[in-house]
Amino acid sequence: MENFKKKSFTVLKYIAFGVVIGVLVGAIDTLFGRVLIAITDFRTDYYLFLLPFLPLAGLLITWMYNKFSAVSLKGMSLVFETGQSKRNSIPLPLVPLVMIGTWITHLFGGSAGREGVAVQIGATLSHRIGRKFHFSNNERVLLITGMSAGFGGLFQTPLGAVFFALEVIVAGYLEYEALLPAFIASIVACITSHTLGLEKFSVNVTDTLDLTDYKVIIFLVIMGIAFGLVGRLFSYLLQKSKDFMKNKIKNPYVRIGVVSVPLAIILIFFYGGRYSGLGTNLISASFSGGEVHYYDFIVKLLLTIVTLAIGFQGGEVTPLFSIGATLGVVLGNLFGISPIVCGAIGYVAVFGSATNTLIAPILLGVEVFGVANVLPIAIVCIIAYIVNGNLSIYSSQQKAMFGFEE
């Protein structure tokens, strides 16, 4: 009886924790997301006036971090290190710094994402609140709950968010103790952000692939290999580029100020800011019959890597979505099968490969594109995950083999 009461109390405590974090993080996600949308629209209209100031924007971001919390520059690494018991806490100044830094990056045309911001905000607040009110002694439970709320509230994909947070800290190991509070937090964050006016991106894909046709199966295998290699390439180049920039240009002001000059020039003259920002314009083109170039995916990949490697703020996931979607459309047209379906598969498979996650991208595919193509999505994601070979955009991600962490 005593054991039952103890377990019941733990369940109620986790539910309460999930609700609190879900509401708080969902509200902040809404603020962050709606301002980012407004900034993106403004930059799209006035990119010729804003992009030339990208180097100055970079200097401002670097100054802010060094002035108020230099350690916060480590970003997602702080979340991973805390979850792996390598550090005790995540600095609270990270929350406003990463939000403002990302807004500035996008306003002046840097090629970056947004999920890193939401995940860092969620993890920071969840860890701080969870510790203060003793919701759990398990560091990973606290972090995974917040990460789920951050990702889920921003993208409004609660299942994908939960399993992304569960899978990503230690690849190959799932902290099932965190499942209940993470699920509650993700659902509540989604409801909160939606209620406050943040819209979900989704495409009702009704086209299907004929899996009884052996040619389609062959094409799916080829796509799995291609998406896996692109995710692997992104992860490899991102880590190598960050190391190269830090080693070759040690002064962060010189690094971001000088390198962003040619970056700004390229972003201006490559189709008028086409590759600036999140890449949602490329995603829209992929699923609305817009113009998609065969080189879109590689140009977006390279420019995002340079933007993040020199110190601009943001994330990688939305650019990865655009890279996968545009490549998928190109391959679909090449193979003579539905480019919309191939774009949807690429959207999640490249993300899964680059983050070294498997369950999350499959669930994300269902939540964004519906259930009509869940089997081909799963097939390609599995192949891409295998081809990736345990590389990740997150350098601090640990790997677990047979239940033992490396």
Side-chain angles (χ1 to χ4, degrees):
M1 187 65 181
E2 187 66 29
N3 189 44
F4 175 76
K5 288 181 179 179
K6 185 177 180 180
K7 286 184 177 180
S8 298
F9 178 73
T10 300
V11 168
L12 292 174
K13 185 168 65 172
Y14 276 169
I15 291 173
F17 180 49
V19 171
V20 170
I21 297 304
V23 171
L24 177 62
V25 176
I28 296 175
D29 273 355
T30 304
L31 171 64
F32 170 69
R34 295 192 69 173
V35 171
L36 189 58
I37 290 169
I39 283 173
T40 299
D41 293 339
F42 184 78
R43 187 203 65 244
T44 300
D45 292 336
Y46 300 102
Y47 74 93
L48 278 176
F49 301 99
L50 294 169
L51 273 168
F53 293 97
L54 185 63
L56 293 178
L59 293 174
L60 175 59
I61 292 169
T62 303
W63 174 83
M64 281 195 319
Y65 271 89
N66 282 284
K67 173 70 174 178
F68 298 105
S69 179
V71 71
S72 295
L73 279 166
K74 296 181 71 175
M76 282 294 293
S77 293
L78 296 174
V79 177
F80 284 96
E81 289 172 5
T82 305
Q84 295 156 7
S85 301
K86 295 178 181 178
R87 62 181 302 115
N88 293 323
S89 64
I90 307 170
L92 202 55
L94 178 146
V95 174
L97 284 173
V98 74
M99 289 176 68
I100 295 170
T102 302
W103 286 337
I104 294 172
T105 296
H106 284 275
L107 177 61
F108 293 98
S111 177
R114 55 185 173 174
E115 98 300 330
V117 182
V119 169
Q120 289 173 56
I121 291 170
T124 302
L125 296 177
S126 177
H127 190 258
R128 185 65 61 101
I129 293 170
R131 269 191 164 187
K132 184 175 180 61
F133 295 98
H134 308 291
F135 279 106
S136 177
N137 294 322
N138 188 325
E139 302 286 342
R140 287 182 188 160
V141 169
L142 302 179
L143 292 170
I144 290 169
T145 300
M147 292 167 72
S148 299
F151 194 104
L154 189 63
F155 292 106
Q156 295 181 19
T157 53
L159 294 178
V162 169
F163 279 89
F164 172 77
L166 285 170
E167 290 184 277
V168 78
I169 294 180
V170 180
Y173 172 79
L174 300 180
E175 186 74 56
Y176 281 112
E177 185 183 345
L179 187 58
L180 176 61
F183 178 69
I184 296 295
S186 184
I187 289 286
V188 172
C190 290
I191 294 171
T192 301
S193 63
H194 183 75
T195 301
L196 294 176
L198 192 63
E199 295 183 4
K200 174 186 177 181
F201 170 75
S202 62
V203 180
N204 184 23
V205 178
T206 55
D207 293 350
T208 56
L209 300 181
D210 182 8
L211 298 184
T212 62
D213 186 343
Y214 75 93
K215 290 182 180 179
V216 172
I217 299 298
I218 293 173
F219 292 151
L220 289 178
V221 172
I222 294 172
M223 283 194 289
I225 294 171
F227 296 144
L229 289 175
V230 169
R232 182 185 178 94
L233 178 67
F234 188 99
S235 302
Y236 177 81
L237 289 181
L238 181 62
Q239 299 307 326
K240 291 297 182 182
S241 297
K242 286 183 176 180
D243 292 341
F244 177 81
M245 290 293 180
K246 288 179 182 177
N247 293 331
K248 293 297 181 180
I249 312 176
K250 296 186 182 299
N251 187 311
Y253 293 98
V254 175
R255 182 165 63 240
I256 201 167
V258 172
V259 180
S260 58
V261 172
L263 175 63
I265 293 171
I266 292 171
L267 287 167
I268 291 172
F269 290 104
F270 262 75
Y271 291 87
R274 180 178 177 87
Y275 303 107
S276 290
L278 296 165
T280 49
N281 57 318
L282 300 176
I283 295 171
S284 296
S286 298
F287 297 112
S288 64
E291 187 174 20
V292 174
H293 305 298
Y294 68 90
Y295 50 80
D296 276 339
F297 81 95
I298 194 65
V299 175
K300 184 63 177 175
L301 181 150
L302 294 173
L303 292 177
T304 301
I305 287 170
V306 174
T307 298
L308 296 174
I310 62 177
F312 283 99
Q313 294 302 303
E316 301 89 354
V317 167
T318 306
L320 284 169
F321 290 156
S322 69
I323 290 164
T326 50
L327 177 57
V329 169
V330 170
L331 292 178
N333 287 324
L334 180 65
F335 297 150
I337 55 180
S338 172
I340 299 294
V341 174
C342 294
I345 295 172
Y347 181 100
V348 294
V350 171
F351 155 71
S353 172
T355 57
N356 198 26
T357 58
L358 176 58
I359 302 172
I362 295 172
L363 293 175
L364 195 69
V366 172
E367 291 180 304
V368 175
F369 302 108
V371 299
N373 291 284
V374 63
L375 188 54
I377 285 174
I379 291 170
V380 174
C381 284
I382 290 170
I383 296 171
Y385 179 80
I386 294 169
V387 169
N388 168 61
N390 251 355
L391 287 182
S392 175
I393 55 176
Y394 305 119
S395 59
S396 299
Q397 184 185 66
Q398 282 186 329
K399 312 298 187 293
M401 295 298 290
F402 307 108
F404 298 96
E405 297 172 23
E406 292 182 343

